[in-house]
Amino acid sequence: MDRDLHGYGGNPPRARFPNDAALAVSLAVNFEEGAEWAVADGDAAAERVAEIHSVVPAGRWDQGTEQQFAYGMRAGIWRVLDALERHKRLATFYMCGRAVERSPDIARRIVQAGHEAACHGWRWRPHADYDSREAEQADLRRCVAVLREVTGQAPAGFFCRGSESPWTRELLRGENFAYTSNGLDDDLPYWADPAADRPLLVIPYAFDSNDMKFFHPNGFVRADDMVGYVRDAIEVLLEEGRRGTPKLLNIGLHLRIVGRPGRFAALARILDMLDSYGDRIWTPRRIDLARYWQEHFPPR
């Protein structure tokens, strides 16, 4: 497959965000709990990425890991929703279909609060794992169907764990998705295959300004580690925006991670920080950013 290593080539579009904001900040919350690998659900092995590396042998029931995930739905979600409501911020929730199926009332409440429900695949798995286009399409449609049934809306955006498959974007076009976020290579949206009959918008995501760094030994330890990192990113990008090239900053969140009290302090302080910048920062849902980009920078 061809790789685009150059993107905008040092000449990014000069976006003019609402209220002349110099930066767009996307709050992306991952809604995955209940869709991870679990022996209790019939999977061959349990998920290994959690607070600690599990000592339970592969193939055995791993109660501890299941409970670490369950914390996100039992406790974390309520802290996150309350904080977003108090700060009047809307987010995009990347929802796994299996998680929505198991927690429909929570998913419905999220959308009723005005947040966007986007597709995070049927299970919390890399789409690169699919052996066939047909199997991936079936699970993609399954996720769309349950989100539509539970929330009343079909998802317009997509993001999967790990990597897309070679045919994911073709499937997304066929299923009328507006954008994918499996792009870790830019600070601005861009069109994939702009000359195609149905170009697909890529709204990049990021793993650096992401609470998953609390799970990595070279990442965040205390809440202020993440707050300071996000503040530095905002200041760098605000300066670029003031010079005429506004960018996008992604803040990735997970209910079972940032929902824990010691890490929730990071989200609380980040939301306070965003408030302090006023109209200099625009915090759209990703579907709102997609609509803005389609209007102002359509594919050529």
Side-chain angles (χ1 to χ4, degrees), residues 106-143:
I106 298 176
R108 191 174 299 114
R109 180 164 174 171
I110 287 168
V111 172
Q112 288 171 349
H115 304 293
E116 176 190 3
C119 175
H120 200 29
W122 174 250
R123 298 288 303 272
W124 190 48
R125 61 176 290 187
H127 274 226
D129 282 353
Y130 283 102
D131 293 327
S132 73
R133 184 190 312 264
E134 291 74 22
E136 182 178 1
Q137 183 178 53
D139 275 358
L140 185 63
R141 288 178 172 177
R142 194 178 182 188
C143 182

Short mmCIF file of all heavy atoms in Angstrom, two decimals, residues 106-143:
data_model
loop_
_atom_site.label_atom_id
_atom_site.label_comp_id
_atom_site.label_asym_id
_atom_site.label_seq_id
_atom_site.Cartn_x
_atom_site.Cartn_y
_atom_site.Cartn_z
N ILE A 106 -27.10 3.67 29.36
CA ILE A 106 -26.01 4.65 29.46
C ILE A 106 -25.73 5.26 28.10
O ILE A 106 -25.56 6.48 27.97
CB ILE A 106 -24.75 3.98 30.03
CG1 ILE A 106 -25.01 3.44 31.45
CG2 ILE A 106 -23.58 4.96 30.05
CD1 ILE A 106 -23.84 2.68 32.05
N ALA A 107 -25.69 4.44 27.06
CA ALA A 107 -25.45 4.96 25.72
C ALA A 107 -26.55 5.94 25.31
O ALA A 107 -26.27 7.00 24.72
CB ALA A 107 -25.39 3.81 24.72
N ARG A 108 -27.77 5.60 25.65
CA ARG A 108 -28.89 6.49 25.31
C ARG A 108 -28.78 7.82 26.04
O ARG A 108 -29.02 8.90 25.47
CB ARG A 108 -30.20 5.78 25.66
CG ARG A 108 -31.46 6.45 25.12
CD ARG A 108 -32.69 5.59 25.41
NE ARG A 108 -32.61 4.28 24.77
CZ ARG A 108 -32.51 3.13 25.44
NH1 ARG A 108 -32.47 3.13 26.76
NH2 ARG A 108 -32.44 1.99 24.80
N ARG A 109 -28.39 7.76 27.29
CA ARG A 109 -28.25 8.99 28.08
C ARG A 109 -27.15 9.88 27.52
O ARG A 109 -27.27 11.11 27.51
CB ARG A 109 -27.95 8.63 29.53
CG ARG A 109 -27.79 9.82 30.45
CD ARG A 109 -27.89 9.42 31.90
NE ARG A 109 -27.60 10.54 32.79
CZ ARG A 109 -27.78 10.51 34.10
NH1 ARG A 109 -28.28 9.43 34.67
NH2 ARG A 109 -27.49 11.56 34.85
N ILE A 110 -26.08 9.28 27.04
CA ILE A 110 -24.98 10.05 26.45
C ILE A 110 -25.47 10.87 25.27
O ILE A 110 -25.18 12.07 25.14
CB ILE A 110 -23.84 9.09 26.04
CG1 ILE A 110 -23.11 8.56 27.28
CG2 ILE A 110 -22.86 9.78 25.09
CD1 ILE A 110 -22.17 7.40 27.00
N VAL A 111 -26.21 10.23 24.38
CA VAL A 111 -26.71 10.93 23.19
C VAL A 111 -27.77 11.96 23.56
O VAL A 111 -27.81 13.06 22.99
CB VAL A 111 -27.25 9.90 22.17
CG1 VAL A 111 -27.95 10.61 21.02
CG2 VAL A 111 -26.09 9.05 21.65
N GLN A 112 -28.61 11.65 24.53
CA GLN A 112 -29.62 12.62 24.97
C GLN A 112 -28.98 13.87 25.56
O GLN A 112 -29.57 14.95 25.51
CB GLN A 112 -30.54 11.96 25.99
CG GLN A 112 -31.49 10.93 25.38
CD GLN A 112 -32.26 10.14 26.42
OE1 GLN A 112 -31.96 10.19 27.63
NE2 GLN A 112 -33.27 9.41 25.98
N ALA A 113 -27.75 13.74 26.08
CA ALA A 113 -27.04 14.90 26.62
C ALA A 113 -26.39 15.74 25.51
O ALA A 113 -25.81 16.79 25.80
CB ALA A 113 -25.97 14.44 27.62
N GLY A 114 -26.48 15.28 24.26
CA GLY A 114 -25.96 16.04 23.13
C GLY A 114 -24.63 15.57 22.59
O GLY A 114 -24.12 16.14 21.63
N HIS A 115 -24.07 14.53 23.20
CA HIS A 115 -22.79 14.01 22.72
C HIS A 115 -22.98 13.17 21.46
O HIS A 115 -24.07 12.66 21.19
CB HIS A 115 -22.12 13.19 23.82
CG HIS A 115 -21.93 13.93 25.10
ND1 HIS A 115 -21.08 15.01 25.22
CD2 HIS A 115 -22.51 13.78 26.33
CE1 HIS A 115 -21.12 15.47 26.47
NE2 HIS A 115 -21.98 14.74 27.15
N GLU A 116 -21.91 13.03 20.71
CA GLU A 116 -21.94 12.24 19.48
C GLU A 116 -21.61 10.78 19.78
O GLU A 116 -20.68 10.48 20.51
CB GLU A 116 -20.91 12.78 18.48
CG GLU A 116 -20.80 11.94 17.21
CD GLU A 116 -19.61 12.31 16.33
OE1 GLU A 116 -18.82 13.19 16.74
OE2 GLU A 116 -19.48 11.71 15.24
N ALA A 117 -22.38 9.87 19.19
CA ALA A 117 -22.09 8.44 19.26
C ALA A 117 -21.47 8.03 17.94
O ALA A 117 -22.13 8.06 16.90
CB ALA A 117 -23.37 7.64 19.53
N ALA A 118 -20.19 7.67 17.97
CA ALA A 118 -19.49 7.21 16.77
C ALA A 118 -19.20 5.72 16.92
O ALA A 118 -19.24 5.15 18.01
CB ALA A 118 -18.20 7.99 16.57
N CYS A 119 -18.88 5.07 15.82
CA CYS A 119 -18.67 3.63 15.78
C CYS A 119 -17.22 3.29 16.15
O CYS A 119 -16.29 3.80 15.54
CB CYS A 119 -19.00 3.09 14.39
SG CYS A 119 -18.63 1.34 14.17
N HIS A 120 -17.07 2.41 17.13
CA HIS A 120 -15.74 1.95 17.57
C HIS A 120 -15.58 0.45 17.28
O HIS A 120 -14.79 -0.23 17.92
CB HIS A 120 -15.60 2.21 19.07
CG HIS A 120 -14.18 2.25 19.57
ND1 HIS A 120 -13.10 2.63 18.80
CD2 HIS A 120 -13.66 1.95 20.79
CE1 HIS A 120 -12.00 2.57 19.51
NE2 HIS A 120 -12.30 2.14 20.72
N GLY A 121 -16.34 -0.02 16.28
CA GLY A 121 -16.31 -1.43 15.95
C GLY A 121 -17.27 -2.22 16.82
O GLY A 121 -17.79 -1.73 17.82
N TRP A 122 -17.52 -3.46 16.45
CA TRP A 122 -18.41 -4.30 17.25
C TRP A 122 -17.73 -4.70 18.56
O TRP A 122 -18.31 -4.60 19.63
CB TRP A 122 -18.85 -5.52 16.47
CG TRP A 122 -19.65 -6.48 17.30
CD1 TRP A 122 -19.29 -7.70 17.74
CD2 TRP A 122 -20.96 -6.24 17.82
NE1 TRP A 122 -20.28 -8.25 18.52
CE2 TRP A 122 -21.32 -7.36 18.58
CE3 TRP A 122 -21.87 -5.16 17.73
CZ2 TRP A 122 -22.55 -7.47 19.24
CZ3 TRP A 122 -23.09 -5.27 18.38
CH2 TRP A 122 -23.42 -6.40 19.13
N ARG A 123 -16.48 -5.14 18.46
CA ARG A 123 -15.68 -5.48 19.64
C ARG A 123 -14.49 -4.52 19.71
O ARG A 123 -14.16 -3.85 18.74
CB ARG A 123 -15.15 -6.92 19.54
CG ARG A 123 -16.21 -8.01 19.48
CD ARG A 123 -16.92 -8.22 20.79
NE ARG A 123 -16.03 -8.55 21.91
CZ ARG A 123 -15.65 -9.80 22.22
NH1 ARG A 123 -16.06 -10.84 21.48
NH2 ARG A 123 -14.87 -10.02 23.27
N TRP A 124 -13.85 -4.49 20.88
CA TRP A 124 -12.65 -3.67 21.03
C TRP A 124 -11.47 -4.47 20.49
O TRP A 124 -10.77 -5.16 21.21
CB TRP A 124 -12.44 -3.31 22.50
CG TRP A 124 -11.38 -2.27 22.71
CD1 TRP A 124 -11.23 -1.09 22.03
CD2 TRP A 124 -10.31 -2.34 23.65
NE1 TRP A 124 -10.13 -0.41 22.50
CE2 TRP A 124 -9.54 -1.16 23.50
CE3 TRP A 124 -9.91 -3.27 24.61
CZ2 TRP A 124 -8.41 -0.88 24.27
CZ3 TRP A 124 -8.78 -3.00 25.38
CH2 TRP A 124 -8.05 -1.82 25.21
N ARG A 125 -11.28 -4.38 19.17
CA ARG A 125 -10.29 -5.19 18.49
C ARG A 125 -9.76 -4.42 17.27
O ARG A 125 -10.45 -3.55 16.72
CB ARG A 125 -10.90 -6.50 17.99
CG ARG A 125 -12.04 -6.28 16.99
CD ARG A 125 -12.60 -7.57 16.42
NE ARG A 125 -11.66 -8.25 15.53
CZ ARG A 125 -11.97 -9.33 14.82
NH1 ARG A 125 -13.18 -9.85 14.92
NH2 ARG A 125 -11.08 -9.89 14.04
N PRO A 126 -8.56 -4.70 16.83
CA PRO A 126 -8.07 -4.09 15.60
C PRO A 126 -8.84 -4.63 14.39
O PRO A 126 -9.05 -5.84 14.28
CB PRO A 126 -6.59 -4.53 15.54
CG PRO A 126 -6.27 -5.01 16.91
CD PRO A 126 -7.53 -5.55 17.48
N HIS A 127 -9.25 -3.77 13.50
CA HIS A 127 -9.91 -4.25 12.29
C HIS A 127 -8.90 -4.90 11.35
O HIS A 127 -9.30 -5.63 10.44
CB HIS A 127 -10.69 -3.12 11.62
CG HIS A 127 -12.07 -2.96 12.19
ND1 HIS A 127 -13.18 -2.82 11.42
CD2 HIS A 127 -12.50 -2.97 13.48
CE1 HIS A 127 -14.25 -2.72 12.20
NE2 HIS A 127 -13.85 -2.81 13.45
N ALA A 128 -7.62 -4.67 11.57
CA ALA A 128 -6.59 -5.37 10.80
C ALA A 128 -6.63 -6.87 11.04
O ALA A 128 -6.06 -7.64 10.26
CB ALA A 128 -5.21 -4.82 11.16
N ASP A 129 -7.32 -7.30 12.11
CA ASP A 129 -7.41 -8.73 12.44
C ASP A 129 -8.36 -9.49 11.51
O ASP A 129 -8.29 -10.71 11.44
CB ASP A 129 -7.92 -8.92 13.87
CG ASP A 129 -6.82 -8.69 14.90
OD1 ASP A 129 -5.66 -8.53 14.50
OD2 ASP A 129 -7.14 -8.68 16.10
N TYR A 130 -9.25 -8.76 10.84
CA TYR A 130 -10.26 -9.46 10.04
C TYR A 130 -9.60 -10.16 8.85
O TYR A 130 -8.78 -9.59 8.14
CB TYR A 130 -11.32 -8.49 9.54
CG TYR A 130 -12.33 -8.10 10.60
CD1 TYR A 130 -12.25 -6.87 11.26
CD2 TYR A 130 -13.36 -8.97 10.94
CE1 TYR A 130 -13.17 -6.51 12.23
CE2 TYR A 130 -14.29 -8.61 11.91
CZ TYR A 130 -14.18 -7.39 12.55
OH TYR A 130 -15.10 -7.06 13.52
N ASP A 131 -10.01 -11.40 8.65
CA ASP A 131 -9.45 -12.20 7.55
C ASP A 131 -10.18 -11.97 6.23
O ASP A 131 -9.68 -12.34 5.17
CB ASP A 131 -9.52 -13.69 7.89
CG ASP A 131 -8.61 -14.05 9.05
OD1 ASP A 131 -7.54 -13.41 9.17
OD2 ASP A 131 -8.96 -14.95 9.83
N SER A 132 -11.38 -11.39 6.31
CA SER A 132 -12.14 -11.18 5.08
C SER A 132 -12.95 -9.90 5.14
O SER A 132 -13.34 -9.44 6.23
CB SER A 132 -13.09 -12.36 4.82
OG SER A 132 -14.19 -12.32 5.72
N ARG A 133 -13.17 -9.34 3.98
CA ARG A 133 -14.00 -8.14 3.86
C ARG A 133 -15.42 -8.42 4.38
O ARG A 133 -16.03 -7.58 5.04
CB ARG A 133 -14.04 -7.74 2.38
CG ARG A 133 -14.79 -6.46 2.08
CD ARG A 133 -14.95 -6.31 0.56
NE ARG A 133 -13.68 -6.55 -0.14
CZ ARG A 133 -12.84 -5.59 -0.52
NH1 ARG A 133 -13.15 -4.34 -0.30
NH2 ARG A 133 -11.72 -5.89 -1.15
N GLU A 134 -15.92 -9.60 4.10
CA GLU A 134 -17.30 -9.94 4.47
C GLU A 134 -17.49 -9.98 5.98
O GLU A 134 -18.49 -9.51 6.52
CB GLU A 134 -17.70 -11.28 3.84
CG GLU A 134 -17.83 -11.26 2.33
CD GLU A 134 -16.49 -11.20 1.61
OE1 GLU A 134 -15.45 -11.59 2.23
OE2 GLU A 134 -16.45 -10.74 0.44
N ALA A 135 -16.51 -10.56 6.69
CA ALA A 135 -16.60 -10.64 8.14
C ALA A 135 -16.55 -9.25 8.77
O ALA A 135 -17.30 -8.94 9.71
CB ALA A 135 -15.48 -11.51 8.69
N GLU A 136 -15.66 -8.40 8.25
CA GLU A 136 -15.57 -7.05 8.79
C GLU A 136 -16.84 -6.27 8.51
O GLU A 136 -17.35 -5.55 9.37
CB GLU A 136 -14.36 -6.32 8.19
CG GLU A 136 -14.19 -4.92 8.76
CD GLU A 136 -12.97 -4.20 8.22
OE1 GLU A 136 -12.24 -4.77 7.38
OE2 GLU A 136 -12.73 -3.05 8.64
N GLN A 137 -17.38 -6.39 7.31
CA GLN A 137 -18.60 -5.68 6.96
C GLN A 137 -19.76 -6.11 7.85
O GLN A 137 -20.57 -5.28 8.30
CB GLN A 137 -18.96 -5.92 5.50
CG GLN A 137 -20.20 -5.15 5.03
CD GLN A 137 -20.49 -5.39 3.57
OE1 GLN A 137 -20.58 -6.54 3.13
NE2 GLN A 137 -20.60 -4.31 2.80
N ALA A 138 -19.84 -7.40 8.14
CA ALA A 138 -20.93 -7.89 8.99
C ALA A 138 -20.87 -7.28 10.38
O ALA A 138 -21.88 -6.86 10.94
CB ALA A 138 -20.89 -9.41 9.06
N ASP A 139 -19.67 -7.21 10.96
CA ASP A 139 -19.53 -6.63 12.30
C ASP A 139 -19.74 -5.12 12.27
O ASP A 139 -20.29 -4.54 13.21
CB ASP A 139 -18.15 -6.96 12.87
CG ASP A 139 -18.13 -8.32 13.56
OD1 ASP A 139 -19.20 -8.97 13.63
OD2 ASP A 139 -17.05 -8.73 14.02
N LEU A 140 -19.29 -4.46 11.20
CA LEU A 140 -19.51 -3.02 11.07
C LEU A 140 -21.00 -2.72 11.02
O LEU A 140 -21.51 -1.84 11.73
CB LEU A 140 -18.82 -2.51 9.80
CG LEU A 140 -18.82 -1.01 9.56
CD1 LEU A 140 -18.07 -0.28 10.66
CD2 LEU A 140 -18.21 -0.70 8.19
N ARG A 141 -21.72 -3.48 10.22
CA ARG A 141 -23.17 -3.28 10.13
C ARG A 141 -23.87 -3.61 11.44
O ARG A 141 -24.85 -2.97 11.82
CB ARG A 141 -23.73 -4.13 8.99
CG ARG A 141 -23.37 -3.61 7.61
CD ARG A 141 -23.90 -4.48 6.50
NE ARG A 141 -23.69 -3.87 5.20
CZ ARG A 141 -24.00 -4.44 4.04
NH1 ARG A 141 -24.52 -5.68 4.02
NH2 ARG A 141 -23.79 -3.81 2.90
N ARG A 142 -23.35 -4.60 12.16
CA ARG A 142 -23.92 -4.98 13.44
C ARG A 142 -23.78 -3.84 14.45
O ARG A 142 -24.70 -3.53 15.21
CB ARG A 142 -23.21 -6.23 13.95
CG ARG A 142 -23.88 -6.94 15.09
CD ARG A 142 -23.09 -8.20 15.44
NE ARG A 142 -23.70 -8.96 16.49
CZ ARG A 142 -23.15 -10.01 17.08
NH1 ARG A 142 -21.94 -10.42 16.69
NH2 ARG A 142 -23.78 -10.65 18.05
N CYS A 143 -22.62 -3.19 14.44
CA CYS A 143 -22.40 -2.05 15.33
C CYS A 143 -23.32 -0.89 14.97
O CYS A 143 -23.95 -0.29 15.84
CB CYS A 143 -20.94 -1.60 15.26
SG CYS A 143 -20.55 -0.24 16.38
#
